[in-house]
Amino acid sequence: MKRLGILGSGKGSNFVAIAEAVRRKALPVEIVLVLSDVENAGILALAAKFGIPHRYVAPGKFRTKLEPDVEMEYARLLQEAGVDLVVLAGFMRVLKPLFLSLFENRVMNIHPSLLPSFPGLEAWKQALDYGAKCAGCTVHFVTPETDAGPIIQQAVVPIRVDDTAETLHVRIQKEEHRLYVETLRLWSEGRLRVEGRRVSIL
Ligand code: GRF
């Protein structure tokens, strides 16, 4: 069975969707390690509840990236755990080329917009403020350029006239949970083929 390592900084709702799918045997993988750069992150408490090895690793002095030594420590822990795929689930720091070269095409992320529209923070709010009619979410492989790696799958979430940032975010997150699990299932079955920027589902 393929082994996943999950990185997160936040509440961990995508982690829960993945862990529940694993538990009900809808996703044939093993989550072997959860790492967080935030000591009191919800994702760590949730990993404990699921009985999954988890650990806080202090990020160092930067705000949007890991300190280089620390980043190598993350890589070491993931490799030591025999991780086949690194799953970013709300991990709020960019990963640098050296880390990514150790896991080429083996780091996935979910972003709350239809990329390449609205990269960056609070993407659902960006879509709403822009006046877009559709928002959504994107699962993609991670490359050094933020939110710009090869797109694997997307889901559309229509924006309603009475939406607020909060109501829209709730509907997008619901789709994220479904889409991430489905994409990971395809990956676990060896059904994703990457050719340059294009990912096809076999
Ligand atoms: C998600 O909305 C995801 O799109 C973004 O970070 C958020 C993580 O949420 N990358 P959660 O911690 O999984 O609830």
PDB file of all heavy atoms in Angstrom, residues 5-30:
ATOM      1  N   GLY A   5       2.432  11.140   3.496  1.00  0.00           N
ATOM      2  CA  GLY A   5       2.792  12.051   4.570  1.00  0.00           C
ATOM      3  C   GLY A   5       1.993  13.318   4.343  1.00  0.00           C
ATOM      4  O   GLY A   5       1.891  13.788   3.207  1.00  0.00           O
ATOM      5  N   ILE A   6       1.387  13.835   5.396  1.00  0.00           N
ATOM      6  CA  ILE A   6       0.517  15.011   5.239  1.00  0.00           C
ATOM      7  C   ILE A   6       1.110  16.183   6.013  1.00  0.00           C
ATOM      8  O   ILE A   6       1.508  16.044   7.175  1.00  0.00           O
ATOM      9  CB  ILE A   6      -0.922  14.690   5.704  1.00  0.00           C
ATOM     10  CG1 ILE A   6      -1.468  13.532   4.855  1.00  0.00           C
ATOM     11  CG2 ILE A   6      -1.818  15.932   5.609  1.00  0.00           C
ATOM     12  CD1 ILE A   6      -2.937  13.216   5.039  1.00  0.00           C
ATOM     13  N   LEU A   7       1.164  17.349   5.351  1.00  0.00           N
ATOM     14  CA  LEU A   7       1.662  18.580   5.986  1.00  0.00           C
ATOM     15  C   LEU A   7       0.516  19.578   6.091  1.00  0.00           C
ATOM     16  O   LEU A   7      -0.171  19.838   5.088  1.00  0.00           O
ATOM     17  CB  LEU A   7       2.765  19.212   5.117  1.00  0.00           C
ATOM     18  CG  LEU A   7       4.227  18.817   5.353  1.00  0.00           C
ATOM     19  CD1 LEU A   7       4.414  17.336   5.419  1.00  0.00           C
ATOM     20  CD2 LEU A   7       5.119  19.445   4.291  1.00  0.00           C
ATOM     21  N   GLY A   8       0.314  20.142   7.279  1.00  0.00           N
ATOM     22  CA  GLY A   8      -0.765  21.124   7.436  1.00  0.00           C
ATOM     23  C   GLY A   8      -0.460  22.107   8.535  1.00  0.00           C
ATOM     24  O   GLY A   8       0.296  21.806   9.464  1.00  0.00           O
ATOM     25  N   SER A   9      -1.061  23.288   8.404  1.00  0.00           N
ATOM     26  CA  SER A   9      -0.849  24.339   9.408  1.00  0.00           C
ATOM     27  C   SER A   9      -2.141  24.718  10.115  1.00  0.00           C
ATOM     28  O   SER A   9      -2.122  25.540  11.029  1.00  0.00           O
ATOM     29  CB  SER A   9      -0.327  25.619   8.720  1.00  0.00           C
ATOM     30  OG  SER A   9       0.734  25.349   7.842  1.00  0.00           O
ATOM     31  N   GLY A  10      -3.267  24.159   9.674  1.00  0.00           N
ATOM     32  CA  GLY A  10      -4.547  24.712  10.125  1.00  0.00           C
ATOM     33  C   GLY A  10      -5.467  23.718  10.782  1.00  0.00           C
ATOM     34  O   GLY A  10      -5.027  22.808  11.492  1.00  0.00           O
ATOM     35  N   LYS A  11      -6.759  23.879  10.474  1.00  0.00           N
ATOM     36  CA  LYS A  11      -7.753  23.118  11.222  1.00  0.00           C
ATOM     37  C   LYS A  11      -7.825  21.651  10.807  1.00  0.00           C
ATOM     38  O   LYS A  11      -8.314  20.814  11.553  1.00  0.00           O
ATOM     39  CB  LYS A  11      -9.110  23.788  11.119  1.00  0.00           C
ATOM     40  CG  LYS A  11      -9.759  23.843   9.752  1.00  0.00           C
ATOM     41  CD  LYS A  11     -11.095  24.603   9.869  1.00  0.00           C
ATOM     42  CE  LYS A  11     -11.966  24.425   8.641  1.00  0.00           C
ATOM     43  NZ  LYS A  11     -11.428  25.061   7.431  1.00  0.00           N
ATOM     44  N   GLY A  12      -7.396  21.342   9.597  1.00  0.00           N
ATOM     45  CA  GLY A  12      -7.259  19.937   9.233  1.00  0.00           C
ATOM     46  C   GLY A  12      -8.498  19.270   8.668  1.00  0.00           C
ATOM     47  O   GLY A  12      -8.605  18.045   8.712  1.00  0.00           O
ATOM     48  N   SER A  13      -9.417  20.038   8.077  1.00  0.00           N
ATOM     49  CA  SER A  13     -10.634  19.393   7.581  1.00  0.00           C
ATOM     50  C   SER A  13     -10.337  18.510   6.365  1.00  0.00           C
ATOM     51  O   SER A  13     -10.974  17.461   6.194  1.00  0.00           O
ATOM     52  CB  SER A  13     -11.727  20.421   7.265  1.00  0.00           C
ATOM     53  OG  SER A  13     -11.400  21.185   6.131  1.00  0.00           O
ATOM     54  N   ASN A  14      -9.382  18.891   5.530  1.00  0.00           N
ATOM     55  CA  ASN A  14      -9.020  18.017   4.405  1.00  0.00           C
ATOM     56  C   ASN A  14      -8.342  16.752   4.908  1.00  0.00           C
ATOM     57  O   ASN A  14      -8.601  15.656   4.401  1.00  0.00           O
ATOM     58  CB  ASN A  14      -8.119  18.757   3.406  1.00  0.00           C
ATOM     59  CG  ASN A  14      -8.926  19.638   2.465  1.00  0.00           C
ATOM     60  OD1 ASN A  14      -9.527  19.150   1.513  1.00  0.00           O
ATOM     61  ND2 ASN A  14      -8.977  20.931   2.756  1.00  0.00           N
ATOM     62  N   PHE A  15      -7.502  16.895   5.925  1.00  0.00           N
ATOM     63  CA  PHE A  15      -6.882  15.716   6.540  1.00  0.00           C
ATOM     64  C   PHE A  15      -7.960  14.741   7.020  1.00  0.00           C
ATOM     65  O   PHE A  15      -7.863  13.529   6.791  1.00  0.00           O
ATOM     66  CB  PHE A  15      -5.973  16.130   7.709  1.00  0.00           C
ATOM     67  CG  PHE A  15      -5.688  15.001   8.638  1.00  0.00           C
ATOM     68  CD1 PHE A  15      -4.811  13.993   8.274  1.00  0.00           C
ATOM     69  CD2 PHE A  15      -6.354  14.902   9.853  1.00  0.00           C
ATOM     70  CE1 PHE A  15      -4.584  12.908   9.116  1.00  0.00           C
ATOM     71  CE2 PHE A  15      -6.143  13.830  10.700  1.00  0.00           C
ATOM     72  CZ  PHE A  15      -5.246  12.827  10.334  1.00  0.00           C
ATOM     73  N   VAL A  16      -8.991  15.282   7.679  1.00  0.00           N
ATOM     74  CA  VAL A  16     -10.053  14.408   8.204  1.00  0.00           C
ATOM     75  C   VAL A  16     -10.760  13.683   7.066  1.00  0.00           C
ATOM     76  O   VAL A  16     -11.016  12.473   7.154  1.00  0.00           O
ATOM     77  CB  VAL A  16     -11.070  15.218   9.048  1.00  0.00           C
ATOM     78  CG1 VAL A  16     -12.307  14.397   9.367  1.00  0.00           C
ATOM     79  CG2 VAL A  16     -10.407  15.696  10.332  1.00  0.00           C
ATOM     80  N   ALA A  17     -11.051  14.411   5.982  1.00  0.00           N
ATOM     81  CA  ALA A  17     -11.725  13.773   4.841  1.00  0.00           C
ATOM     82  C   ALA A  17     -10.876  12.608   4.325  1.00  0.00           C
ATOM     83  O   ALA A  17     -11.399  11.518   4.037  1.00  0.00           O
ATOM     84  CB  ALA A  17     -11.964  14.799   3.737  1.00  0.00           C
ATOM     85  N   ILE A  18      -9.563  12.824   4.240  1.00  0.00           N
ATOM     86  CA  ILE A  18      -8.663  11.780   3.727  1.00  0.00           C
ATOM     87  C   ILE A  18      -8.577  10.617   4.727  1.00  0.00           C
ATOM     88  O   ILE A  18      -8.713   9.441   4.366  1.00  0.00           O
ATOM     89  CB  ILE A  18      -7.263  12.375   3.441  1.00  0.00           C
ATOM     90  CG1 ILE A  18      -7.356  13.445   2.337  1.00  0.00           C
ATOM     91  CG2 ILE A  18      -6.268  11.286   3.054  1.00  0.00           C
ATOM     92  CD1 ILE A  18      -6.140  14.364   2.239  1.00  0.00           C
ATOM     93  N   ALA A  19      -8.400  10.955   6.001  1.00  0.00           N
ATOM     94  CA  ALA A  19      -8.256   9.911   7.031  1.00  0.00           C
ATOM     95  C   ALA A  19      -9.533   9.079   7.156  1.00  0.00           C
ATOM     96  O   ALA A  19      -9.472   7.864   7.370  1.00  0.00           O
ATOM     97  CB  ALA A  19      -7.883  10.545   8.372  1.00  0.00           C
ATOM     98  N   GLU A  20     -10.692   9.741   7.009  1.00  0.00           N
ATOM     99  CA  GLU A  20     -11.957   8.989   7.093  1.00  0.00           C
ATOM    100  C   GLU A  20     -12.110   8.057   5.895  1.00  0.00           C
ATOM    101  O   GLU A  20     -12.596   6.934   6.039  1.00  0.00           O
ATOM    102  CB  GLU A  20     -13.148   9.941   7.205  1.00  0.00           C
ATOM    103  CG  GLU A  20     -13.342  10.386   8.647  1.00  0.00           C
ATOM    104  CD  GLU A  20     -14.448  11.408   8.826  1.00  0.00           C
ATOM    105  OE1 GLU A  20     -14.956  11.939   7.813  1.00  0.00           O
ATOM    106  OE2 GLU A  20     -14.775  11.693   9.996  1.00  0.00           O
ATOM    107  N   ALA A  21     -11.701   8.543   4.729  1.00  0.00           N
ATOM    108  CA  ALA A  21     -11.786   7.691   3.525  1.00  0.00           C
ATOM    109  C   ALA A  21     -10.874   6.469   3.686  1.00  0.00           C
ATOM    110  O   ALA A  21     -11.235   5.357   3.302  1.00  0.00           O
ATOM    111  CB  ALA A  21     -11.416   8.487   2.288  1.00  0.00           C
ATOM    112  N   VAL A  22      -9.691   6.698   4.279  1.00  0.00           N
ATOM    113  CA  VAL A  22      -8.776   5.579   4.514  1.00  0.00           C
ATOM    114  C   VAL A  22      -9.424   4.587   5.488  1.00  0.00           C
ATOM    115  O   VAL A  22      -9.423   3.371   5.270  1.00  0.00           O
ATOM    116  CB  VAL A  22      -7.423   6.072   5.075  1.00  0.00           C
ATOM    117  CG1 VAL A  22      -6.549   4.901   5.527  1.00  0.00           C
ATOM    118  CG2 VAL A  22      -6.691   6.919   4.028  1.00  0.00           C
ATOM    119  N   ARG A  23     -10.025   5.134   6.550  1.00  0.00           N
ATOM    120  CA  ARG A  23     -10.622   4.276   7.583  1.00  0.00           C
ATOM    121  C   ARG A  23     -11.767   3.418   7.037  1.00  0.00           C
ATOM    122  O   ARG A  23     -11.899   2.255   7.384  1.00  0.00           O
ATOM    123  CB  ARG A  23     -11.114   5.145   8.741  1.00  0.00           C
ATOM    124  CG  ARG A  23     -11.496   4.344   9.947  1.00  0.00           C
ATOM    125  CD  ARG A  23     -11.289   5.084  11.237  1.00  0.00           C
ATOM    126  NE  ARG A  23     -12.262   6.155  11.373  1.00  0.00           N
ATOM    127  CZ  ARG A  23     -12.285   6.996  12.402  1.00  0.00           C
ATOM    128  NH1 ARG A  23     -11.389   6.904  13.367  1.00  0.00           N
ATOM    129  NH2 ARG A  23     -13.180   7.937  12.470  1.00  0.00           N
ATOM    130  N   ARG A  24     -12.583   4.037   6.146  1.00  0.00           N
ATOM    131  CA  ARG A  24     -13.696   3.223   5.618  1.00  0.00           C
ATOM    132  C   ARG A  24     -13.277   2.431   4.359  1.00  0.00           C
ATOM    133  O   ARG A  24     -14.107   1.915   3.626  1.00  0.00           O
ATOM    134  CB  ARG A  24     -14.940   4.060   5.372  1.00  0.00           C
ATOM    135  CG  ARG A  24     -14.847   5.168   4.376  1.00  0.00           C
ATOM    136  CD  ARG A  24     -16.185   5.833   4.066  1.00  0.00           C
ATOM    137  NE  ARG A  24     -16.009   6.708   2.932  1.00  0.00           N
ATOM    138  CZ  ARG A  24     -15.606   7.959   2.992  1.00  0.00           C
ATOM    139  NH1 ARG A  24     -15.370   8.525   4.160  1.00  0.00           N
ATOM    140  NH2 ARG A  24     -15.449   8.683   1.899  1.00  0.00           N
ATOM    141  N   LYS A  25     -11.974   2.386   4.132  1.00  0.00           N
ATOM    142  CA  LYS A  25     -11.375   1.598   3.036  1.00  0.00           C
ATOM    143  C   LYS A  25     -11.815   2.067   1.650  1.00  0.00           C
ATOM    144  O   LYS A  25     -11.860   1.287   0.701  1.00  0.00           O
ATOM    145  CB  LYS A  25     -11.634   0.101   3.234  1.00  0.00           C
ATOM    146  CG  LYS A  25     -11.093  -0.444   4.558  1.00  0.00           C
ATOM    147  CD  LYS A  25     -10.912  -1.939   4.483  1.00  0.00           C
ATOM    148  CE  LYS A  25     -10.477  -2.584   5.799  1.00  0.00           C
ATOM    149  NZ  LYS A  25      -9.488  -1.853   6.575  1.00  0.00           N
ATOM    150  N   ALA A  26     -12.111   3.357   1.542  1.00  0.00           N
ATOM    151  CA  ALA A  26     -12.465   3.925   0.236  1.00  0.00           C
ATOM    152  C   ALA A  26     -11.216   4.477  -0.449  1.00  0.00           C
ATOM    153  O   ALA A  26     -11.265   4.886  -1.597  1.00  0.00           O
ATOM    154  CB  ALA A  26     -13.501   5.030   0.407  1.00  0.00           C
ATOM    155  N   LEU A  27     -10.118   4.510   0.300  1.00  0.00           N
ATOM    156  CA  LEU A  27      -8.863   5.029  -0.246  1.00  0.00           C
ATOM    157  C   LEU A  27      -7.732   4.102   0.217  1.00  0.00           C
ATOM    158  O   LEU A  27      -7.379   4.083   1.406  1.00  0.00           O
ATOM    159  CB  LEU A  27      -8.654   6.462   0.290  1.00  0.00           C
ATOM    160  CG  LEU A  27      -7.398   7.207  -0.154  1.00  0.00           C
ATOM    161  CD1 LEU A  27      -7.340   7.341  -1.663  1.00  0.00           C
ATOM    162  CD2 LEU A  27      -7.373   8.598   0.491  1.00  0.00           C
ATOM    163  N   PRO A  28      -7.183   3.298  -0.726  1.00  0.00           N
ATOM    164  CA  PRO A  28      -6.231   2.268  -0.331  1.00  0.00           C
ATOM    165  C   PRO A  28      -4.807   2.802  -0.138  1.00  0.00           C
ATOM    166  O   PRO A  28      -3.895   2.491  -0.905  1.00  0.00           O
ATOM    167  CB  PRO A  28      -6.287   1.280  -1.512  1.00  0.00           C
ATOM    168  CG  PRO A  28      -6.632   2.139  -2.697  1.00  0.00           C
ATOM    169  CD  PRO A  28      -7.454   3.291  -2.173  1.00  0.00           C
ATOM    170  N   VAL A  29      -4.639   3.609   0.873  1.00  0.00           N
ATOM    171  CA  VAL A  29      -3.315   4.145   1.222  1.00  0.00           C
ATOM    172  C   VAL A  29      -3.176   4.096   2.739  1.00  0.00           C
ATOM    173  O   VAL A  29      -4.154   3.863   3.454  1.00  0.00           O
ATOM    174  CB  VAL A  29      -3.141   5.624   0.771  1.00  0.00           C
ATOM    175  CG1 VAL A  29      -3.318   5.774  -0.722  1.00  0.00           C
ATOM    176  CG2 VAL A  29      -4.094   6.547   1.525  1.00  0.00           C
ATOM    177  N   GLU A  30      -1.949   4.355   3.187  1.00  0.00           N
ATOM    178  CA  GLU A  30      -1.713   4.447   4.628  1.00  0.00           C
ATOM    179  C   GLU A  30      -1.170   5.847   4.918  1.00  0.00           C
ATOM    180  O   GLU A  30      -0.259   6.299   4.216  1.00  0.00           O
ATOM    181  CB  GLU A  30      -0.674   3.400   5.014  1.00  0.00           C
ATOM    182  CG  GLU A  30      -0.591   3.120   6.485  1.00  0.00           C
ATOM    183  CD  GLU A  30       0.502   2.088   6.771  1.00  0.00           C
ATOM    184  OE1 GLU A  30       0.890   1.366   5.830  1.00  0.00           O
ATOM    185  OE2 GLU A  30       0.967   2.030   7.909  1.00  0.00           O
TER     186      GLU A  30
END
